[in-house]
């Protein structure tokens, strides 16, 4: 009897393993953490044989990882630039690229910060932004400060984070009186307040999230299916719930 139970248990384990026999690795921008995690669960629910593993990092870091041969199947960045650069060197398939959501750049301050608007940003001793060399939100922030003619006066006060979530944490902790993050990041925090919103197409280029299938993916067909799923009605409802905007709204704003 014990041997029979052991055999049955082994069969169940084998069936369980075969039921989730495919692992898909997605590299996503840090600002997508909650939304993409939920989208992946939704995709898995309709694809019981698939397990999606997600690594979150700055878009520039993800791009570098793909260049170095990391086994990423789908890359999802917080701008179009990283995917375009990968497409130029044929590391993503140009026919398998998709823009799926937009976002807004906002200026935030801690609840007790003296900074109340862009007009008195000079009151901040430290301003948190992401590293503009590797993080799109940092580039948007620098471009915004440049357009507002504030960059020369404030450049020495900028505190750089490895990703947009680190910039948010710096303001939450009080280590910076203000900071630039995405509207979706500000929405996730009770410790900061939005005091100004940048205008896409005016202060900075429109914020468009772009995803692509990595050319070296060993699950090309499944990766392409997941890419399409990002624009499905269900996935778009999830993104909207977390504060992301639709692509057409970004284009209209610009």
């Amino acid at each position: 009897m014990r041997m029979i139970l052991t055999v049955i248990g082994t069969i169940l384990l084998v069936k369980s393993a075969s039921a989730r026999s495919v692992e898909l690795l997605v590299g996503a921008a840090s600002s997508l953490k909650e939304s993409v995690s939920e989208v992946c669960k939704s995709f898995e629910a309709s694809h019981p044989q698939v397990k999606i593993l997600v690594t979150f990092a700055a878009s520039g870091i993800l791009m570098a990882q793909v260049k170095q041969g990391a086994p990423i199947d789908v890359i999802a960045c917080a701008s179009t630039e990283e995917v375009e650069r990968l497409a130029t060197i044929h590391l993503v398939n140009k026919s398998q690229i998709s823009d799926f959501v937009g976002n807004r750049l906002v200026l935030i301050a801690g609840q007790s910060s003296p900074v109340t608007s862009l007009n008195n940003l000079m009151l901040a001793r430290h301003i948190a932004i992401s590293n503009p060399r590797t993080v799109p939100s940092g580039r948007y922030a620098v471009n915004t400060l440049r357009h507002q003619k504030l960059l020369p006066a404030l450049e020495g006060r900028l505190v750089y984070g490895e990703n947009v979530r680190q910039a948010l944490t710096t303001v939450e902790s009080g280590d910076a009186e203000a900071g630039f993050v995405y509207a979706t990041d500000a929405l996730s925090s009770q410790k900061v307040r939005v005091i100004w919103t940048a205008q896409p197409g005016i202060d900075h280029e429109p914020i468009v999230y772009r995803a692509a299938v990595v050319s070296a993916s060993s699950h090309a067909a499944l990766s392409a299916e997941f890419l399409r799923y990002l624009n499905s009605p269900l996935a778009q409802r999830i993104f909207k719930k977390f504060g992301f905007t639709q692509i057409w709204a970004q284009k209209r704003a610009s």
Side-chain angles (χ1 to χ4, degrees):
M1 182 66 177
R2 183 175 299 174
M3 183 177 294
I4 293 174
L5 290 175
T6 300
V7 171
I8 292 174
T10 302
I11 292 173
L12 290 175
L13 285 172
V14 170
K15 285 186 175 181
S16 176
S18 62
R20 284 198 179 278
S21 58
V22 179
E23 286 188 345
L24 200 66
L25 182 58
V26 174
S30 299
S31 53
L32 292 167
K33 187 171 184 179
E34 291 82 10
S35 58
V36 161
S37 293
E38 189 166 326
V39 167
C40 288
K41 289 179 182 178
S42 174
F43 186 85
E44 288 175 341
S46 58
H47 297 74
Q49 82 284 7
V50 178
K51 175 64 178 177
I52 301 180
L53 305 176
V54 190
T55 178
F56 294 99
S59 297
I61 299 299
L62 294 172
M63 179 183 67
Q65 290 176 350
V66 171
K67 286 182 175 180
Q68 293 164 7
I72 295 174
D73 296 295
V74 177
I75 183 172
C77 298
S79 80
T80 60
E81 180 178 320
E82 290 77 15
V83 172
E84 286 178 356
R85 290 169 66 179
L86 290 173
T88 299
I89 54 178
H90 308 292
L91 291 181
V92 299
N93 192 325
K94 290 184 178 180
S95 66
Q96 294 179 314
I97 294 174
S98 177
D99 296 342
F100 59 103
V101 287
N103 213 332
R104 301 295 293 268
L105 185 76
V106 297
L107 177 63
I108 60 170
Q111 299 296 348
S112 60
S113 172
V115 182
T116 57
S117 71
L118 184 71
N119 294 330
N120 65 355
L121 186 55
M122 290 293 295
L123 293 176
R125 291 181 301 171
H126 300 100
I127 303 166
I129 70 170
S130 305
N131 186 342
R133 293 183 178 181
T134 56
V135 192
S137 65
R139 294 200 303 271
Y140 301 136
V142 168
N143 289 340
T144 295
L145 288 172
R146 183 178 291 114
H147 178 261
Q148 293 291 333
K149 299 181 173 30
L150 292 171
L151 187 60
L154 297 176
E155 193 165 14
R157 308 185 193 190
L158 299 180
V159 179
Y160 300 109
E162 293 181 3
N163 54 60
V164 70
R165 291 302 173 90
Q166 193 173 97
L168 174 65
T169 300
T170 302
V171 179
E172 287 179 324
S173 66
D175 290 334
E177 291 81 7
F180 285 94
V181 299
Y182 293 125
T184 50
D185 298 297
L187 190 63
S188 70
S189 174
Q190 301 296 319
K191 298 179 180 179
V192 301
R193 52 200 165 90
V194 175
I195 57 177
W196 183 77
T197 302
Q199 295 300 308
I202 299 175
D203 292 308
H204 57 77
E205 63 271 33
I207 301 172
V208 175
Y209 285 66
R210 178 168 289 180
V213 175
V214 177
S215 300
S217 171
S218 55
H219 307 293
L222 184 61
S223 296
E225 186 176 351
F226 180 76
L227 187 72
R228 291 190 295 270
Y229 190 77
L230 293 175
N231 272 303
S232 69
L234 180 54
Q236 287 294 305
R237 284 197 296 271
I238 293 172
F239 287 122
K240 183 178 180 180
K241 180 179 72 172
F242 286 98
F244 290 90
T245 62
Q246 293 179 312
I247 298 299
W248 65 264
Q250 285 286 324
K251 292 180 179 178
R252 185 180 66 179
S254 62

